Amino acid sequence: MNISILKKDRAFILQISEEFFQQDNIISKLHEFSQFGIKGWEIWLQVEYFIFLSNHPQVKKVDREIRCFLDGRKSKIKRSAILDFMIHEKNKTSAIPLEIKQDVSPTTCLRNMLSDVKKFGNIKYTGISTDRNLWCLGVHLGQLKEEHYEKCMYEIISNPIGNTNYFYTLI
């Protein structure tokens, strides 16, 4: 993968994620989730993110829940998997694949993110227009520990979500 494309994709995903998590309605919902101890809101997050992306001026089109076939030589158990998003930027020919995870625990969230990156390493991108790396965006309560950064083979970028106890992390 071209390092320049990787850097541009990372910067793009970080920029739109920062914009998304700065919205008052998102911050308000996260406060309510924390206040009432609500867990399992990953689908809500995906739907809100989809709507945000669909209205973003830098995004041409967003596909959600794309069924992808897995390479049978690499994945003996499952034949297919669902990819959360394919983000088509304006003036680009291929799309950025993105998975979203949510968990209260930073450790569990990161583990699930890494599992998705591994799983989607087995995708046969037949009929899907991308030559770009999969990105995984996770939202969790509290900060990742320093040891997570040291042990992970991927670059981890984790930022606080303003005036909440939540963080979003990109790998």
Side-chain angles (χ1 to χ4, degrees), residues 5-82:
I5 292 172
L6 270 174
K7 286 182 179 182
K8 287 177 183 176
D9 286 354
R10 179 185 301 113
F12 175 73
I13 297 294
L14 282 172
Q15 175 221 320
I16 59 176
S17 295
E18 180 152 333
E19 290 174 25
F20 175 78
F21 289 115
Q22 286 178 349
Q23 297 178 100
D24 290 338
N25 64 316
I26 300 301
I27 291 171
S28 175
K29 265 313 167 204
L30 291 174
H31 277 297
E32 290 173 346
F33 294 157
S34 184
Q35 177 185 357
F36 296 110
I38 297 171
K39 300 175 185 172
W41 39 266
E42 187 172 301
I43 301 285
W44 167 84
L45 180 63
Q46 291 175 6
V47 169
E48 289 289 343
Y49 204 77
F50 174 81
I51 292 167
F52 175 79
L53 289 173
S54 296
N55 292 310
H56 198 281
Q58 290 178 266
V59 176
K60 175 173 44 180
K61 175 183 154 193
V62 183
D63 297 314
R64 185 167 178 263
E65 295 191 346
I66 304 100
R67 180 166 299 282
C68 300
F69 295 101
L70 300 176
D71 188 334
R73 298 167 299 174
K74 297 178 182 178
S75 177
K76 304 289 184 214
I77 301 167
K78 286 184 146 189
R79 297 276 180 237
S80 67
I82 303 293

Side-chain angles (χ1 to χ4, degrees), residues 21-148:
F21 289 115
Q22 286 178 349
Q23 297 178 100
D24 290 338
N25 64 316
I26 300 301
I27 291 171
S28 175
K29 265 313 167 204
L30 291 174
H31 277 297
E32 290 173 346
F33 294 157
S34 184
Q35 177 185 357
F36 296 110
I38 297 171
K39 300 175 185 172
W41 39 266
E42 187 172 301
I43 301 285
W44 167 84
L45 180 63
Q46 291 175 6
V47 169
E48 289 289 343
Y49 204 77
F50 174 81
I51 292 167
F52 175 79
L53 289 173
S54 296
N55 292 310
H56 198 281
Q58 290 178 266
V59 176
K60 175 173 44 180
K61 175 183 154 193
V62 183
D63 297 314
R64 185 167 178 263
E65 295 191 346
I66 304 100
R67 180 166 299 282
C68 300
F69 295 101
L70 300 176
D71 188 334
R73 298 167 299 174
K74 297 178 182 178
S75 177
K76 304 289 184 214
I77 301 167
K78 286 184 146 189
R79 297 276 180 237
S80 67
I82 303 293
L83 181 61
D84 291 337
F85 294 103
M86 290 295 280
I87 304 168
H88 304 265
E89 287 178 89
K90 287 186 177 173
N91 304 317
K92 304 280 183 184
T93 55
S94 62
I96 301 172
L98 177 71
E99 275 291 297
I100 290 186
K101 290 292 170 216
Q102 173 273 319
D103 200 283
V104 174
S105 162
T107 302
T108 304
C109 189
L110 182 61
R111 186 179 324 117
N112 292 339
M113 292 167 67
L114 292 169
S115 174
D116 273 3
V117 170
K118 182 179 177 184
K119 174 174 57 177
F120 284 100
N122 297 332
I123 286 181
K124 290 193 289 186
Y125 284 106
T126 309
I128 297 174
S129 65
T130 195
D131 55 354
R132 292 157 91 181
N133 280 21
L134 172 82
W135 294 91
C136 199
L137 179 68
V139 178
H140 46 83
L141 201 52
Q143 202 167 358
L144 287 169
K145 295 178 181 166
E146 193 62 39
E147 65 197 48
H148 292 118

